[in-house]
Amino acid sequence: GQQVMQIPQYQHVQEGEDFTTYCNSSTTLSNIQWYKQRPGGHPVFLIQLVKSGEVKKQKRLTFQFGEAKKNSSLHITATQTTDVGTYFCAGSIRVTSGTYKYIFGTGTRLKVLA
Amino acid sequence: DAGITQSPRHKVTETGTPVTLRCHQTENHRYMYWYRQDPGHGLRLIHYSYGVKDTDKGEVSDGYSVSRSKTEDFLLTLESATSSQTSVYFCAIRETGGTDTQYFGPGTRLTVL
């Protein structure tokens, strides 16, 4: 079946270091979304990438969508303690005309050491 | 958070008992989803709905059924709960016509003894 793999599973960084998480899909995606989940909380939408090769930035966060629309990455520059949480990618796969479902990656849990 | 509530927020039940979880939204979104979240598996789609009485299976639908008799409510039923269904269950709605953002409810922590 369709799968979205995400690596690494865990990452511990010193505050101020950079962080990157990667997603790879077994099938071509219509789009990809990224979410952040704080400990004990629910996933919160960060961004959606739609176009092949698309790059978007949100302050210290940079998101990329691969040319083949099968992989994506999230890069955080100069991490802060507020970046702690689990980051998920979610790939959109077309089910029928006009209906899509999302396959989530397994997530990368980020810990930032002050 | 797009007016999504889930009930109950916590439930402990015994193996073999039926359990129904409720997701309620106030903003008339067409698409609603039920996910379960387990360590090492991320979020896995159980069932989703694309309109009243229109539902379809996700990747882990065995042992679960859903119903959507009105736009605002999406019910998830475990007909006979098993210990493997101990999990955190999240409901989500998806906006359409724009970013397709999914907004998640606060989650229900279900323990099956």
Side-chain angles (χ1 to χ4, degrees):
Chain A
Q2 297 120 347
Q3 286 188 318
V4 175
M5 304 302 295
Q6 193 172 349
I7 56 169
Q9 191 173 1
Y10 301 98
Q11 185 83 58
H12 295 184
V13 299
Q14 287 291 136
E15 189 173 21
E17 291 182 339
D18 293 355
F19 159 77
T20 305
T21 174
Y22 301 90
C23 269
N24 287 288
S25 170
S26 57
T27 59
T28 302
L29 303 171
S30 299
N31 62 61
I32 194 159
Q33 298 179 342
W34 284 91
Y35 292 80
K36 177 182 178 181
Q37 184 178 23
R38 295 184 187 276
H42 58 273
V44 175
F45 176 83
L46 293 176
I47 208 161
Q48 175 171 281
L49 304 170
V50 178
K51 299 176 184 176
S52 170
E54 189 170 13
V55 178
K56 286 188 176 180
K57 292 190 175 185
Q58 287 180 350
K59 297 182 180 178
R60 295 178 293 104
L61 278 61
T62 302
F63 304 84
Q64 294 188 346
F65 200 11
E67 294 289 341
K69 300 184 74 173
K70 296 179 75 172
N71 56 73
S72 181
S73 65
L74 158 60
H75 179 82
I76 302 178
T77 303
T79 55
Q80 299 175 358
T81 54
T82 53
D83 295 326
V84 165
T86 301
Y87 293 84
F88 293 97
C89 62
S92 172
I93 298 170
R94 182 173 172 175
V95 178
T96 62
S97 175
T99 303
Y100 297 83
K101 65 178 181 181
Y102 285 86
I103 306 295
F104 276 76
T106 49
T108 297
R109 184 182 297 177
L110 173 64
K111 281 194 173 182
V112 180
L113 307 172
Chain B
D1 290 330
I4 305 168
T5 56
Q6 292 184 232
S7 59
R9 294 293 314 280
H10 302 271
K11 186 170 182 66
V12 180
T13 191
E14 294 188 348
T15 298
T17 59
V19 176
T20 295
L21 308 183
R22 180 183 183 234
C23 178
H24 179 78
Q25 57 142 333
T26 60
E27 299 188 4
N28 220 34
H29 293 288
R30 179 182 173 195
Y31 291 91
M32 299 184 75
Y33 303 81
W34 275 108
Y35 295 91
R36 61 177 289 174
Q37 185 172 37
D38 305 288
H41 290 280
L43 289 147
R44 292 182 291 175
L45 181 64
I46 305 171
H47 282 279
Y48 64 99
S49 171
Y50 45 97
V52 173
K53 297 187 180 178
D54 290 325
T55 65
D56 205 351
K57 296 179 180 180
E59 54 188 314
V60 290
S61 60
D62 287 349
Y64 302 94
S65 62
V66 290
S67 66
R68 193 167 178 201
S69 59
K70 37 186 184 174
T71 301
E72 58 266 36
D73 289 325
F74 192 29
L75 304 180
L76 177 70
T77 297
L78 291 65
E79 300 290 347
S80 178
T82 67
S83 58
S84 64
Q85 294 176 311
T86 293
S87 188
V88 179
Y89 291 86
F90 286 102
C91 171
I93 61 91
R94 178 168 69 88
E95 289 187 334
T96 56
T99 61
D100 293 327
T101 302
Q102 290 188 77
Y103 292 97
F104 284 80
T108 294
R109 183 173 295 274
L110 176 67
T111 302
V112 184
L113 301 175

